[in-house]
Structures are given as structure tokens and as C-alpha cells.
Amino acid sequence: MKYFALTGALFIGLILAPLAVAQQELYRPPLGDIMGKIQLRHIKLWFAGKLGNWELATYEVDEIKASLETAADLYRGIPAELVTNTADPIHAIMAAIEAKDGAAFAKGYGDLTIACNACHQGIGRSFIVIQTPTASPFTDQSFSPPKR
Ligand code: HEC
């Protein structure tokens, strides 16, 4: 009886240990994938702000902030100042949205884009160059404020 309990425990351990490892892997998305999402939000943020859909702009900038925090959390090798560089532009964008100030929004957006590229350069990825988008690839989403 004791023997069975012991092998049972061992068996469960053998099954669970690799599962736990696999789970940890599951919860660490590749940095390139996190960045891909940030890129989508960076594009959407631009058109939301440009068209004055301030609620959507708030949503997108919050998502960018959260994704950058996740990236810094999961990838501790990234130098801290390259992450904190993005904080001031993000706050400036949030203040511009709050004030519904299009010019301040565009300025903050430009500064955020500079911070994106500063990290890419600082981390040996200077070939990844982000710019202000010229057209939305999201033809299924309207960025204008909803008609109420
Ligand atoms: C703190 C550092 C850091 C910041 C800030 C940062 N990135 Fe990145 N980004 C990276 C790294 C590192 C990679 C390369 C990931 C890899 O090699 O797996 C990358 C890759 C990318 C890629 C390439 C993904 C692809 O599939 O083409 C895009 C696009 C991107 N970043 C967009 C952005 C945007 C937009 C911002 C700003 C809103 C930003 N990044 C800010 C570190 C950063």
C-alpha cells in the first residue's frame, strides 16, 4: 500500500514537473511578438489621436504602456533606462489626450517614437526603425469618434 502511494506520488511528480516548465514557457511570449502588438497599438494610437477619438487614444496608449512593462518584466536583460525613456513621452501623450490637444498629442507621439528607436539602437536592433504611420492598414476599424 505504502509502495503504491510512493510510486503514485513519484508518477504525479514526473508528470507535473515538465508541465510546470512548459507553463512557464507558455507565459513568456517572445519579445518580438510583444513588440508586434506594440506596433499595432502605436499605429492605432496615431489615427485615434489624429481624428480626435480620445477614448480610443487613451485605450491604445494604456495598452502600449502595459506591453512595455510586460516586456521589461519578462526580459530583465533590457537596460532599465531604455524602458524608462518611454515614460515621459507616454505621460505627455496622456496629458494631451486629457486636454484634447492635437498639437501636444503629435509632439508626444513623435517623442515616444524617438524613444522606441532609442531602445532599438541601444539594444543592437538599429535596423528596426519606427516612424509616424502614413496610412492605417486597419481598414475594418474606424478611428473617428463614434457618432452618438
Ligand atoms: C526597452 C526597449 C524597447 C523599446 C522601448 C521598444 N522596443 Fe521594439 N523592440 C525591442 C527589441 C529588443 C526588439 C527585438 C526583439 C527580438 O529580437 O526578438 C524589438 C522589436 C520591435 C519590432 C520588430 C517586430 C517585427 O516583427 O518586426 C517592432 C515593430 C517594434 N519593436 C516596435 C516598437 C515600437 C512601436 C516601440 C515604441 C512604442 C518600441 N518597439 C519600443 C526593444 C524595444
Side-chain angles (χ1 to χ4, degrees):
M1 197 60 205
K2 229 176 176 179
Y3 171 77
F4 283 114
L6 214 76
T7 42
L10 192 71
F11 182 70
I12 289 171
L14 282 175
I15 299 263
L16 290 184
L19 270 180
V21 172
Q23 268 213 333
Q24 272 184 348
E25 293 294 318
L26 268 181
Y27 286 111
R28 191 174 132 131
L31 187 52
D33 289 359
I34 301 175
M35 285 294 152
K37 278 195 189 143
I38 292 178
Q39 180 182 27
L40 303 190
R41 261 72 197 242
H42 181 261
I43 297 172
K44 292 183 179 194
L45 173 62
W46 175 250
F47 292 102
K50 197 178 151 187
L51 297 176
N53 188 343
W54 301 115
E55 277 176 274
L56 180 62
T58 302
Y59 173 81
E60 302 298 354
V61 76
D62 283 347
E63 293 287 322
I64 290 174
K65 185 170 177 280
S67 289
L68 284 170
E69 281 163 7
T70 303
D73 242 30
L74 295 179
Y75 293 88
R76 294 299 170 102
I78 302 174
E81 75 273 14
L82 293 178
V83 185
T84 51
N85 258 346
T86 59
D88 282 352
I90 284 175
H91 287 140
I93 291 170
M94 286 172 167
I97 290 172
E98 189 71 34
K100 299 183 167 53
D101 181 339
F105 172 84
K107 168 80 172 72
Y109 190 91
D111 289 343
L112 175 61
T113 306
I114 289 171
C116 301
N117 291 325
C119 187
H120 296 154
Q121 282 158 19
I123 214 151
R125 301 281 194 287
S126 49
F127 54 89
I128 300 170
V129 184
I130 304 302
Q131 60 181 16
T132 299
T134 52
S136 166
F138 303 104
T139 53
D140 63 345
Q141 185 172 5
S142 163
F143 293 97
S144 308
K147 293 175 191 75
R148 295 191 212 268

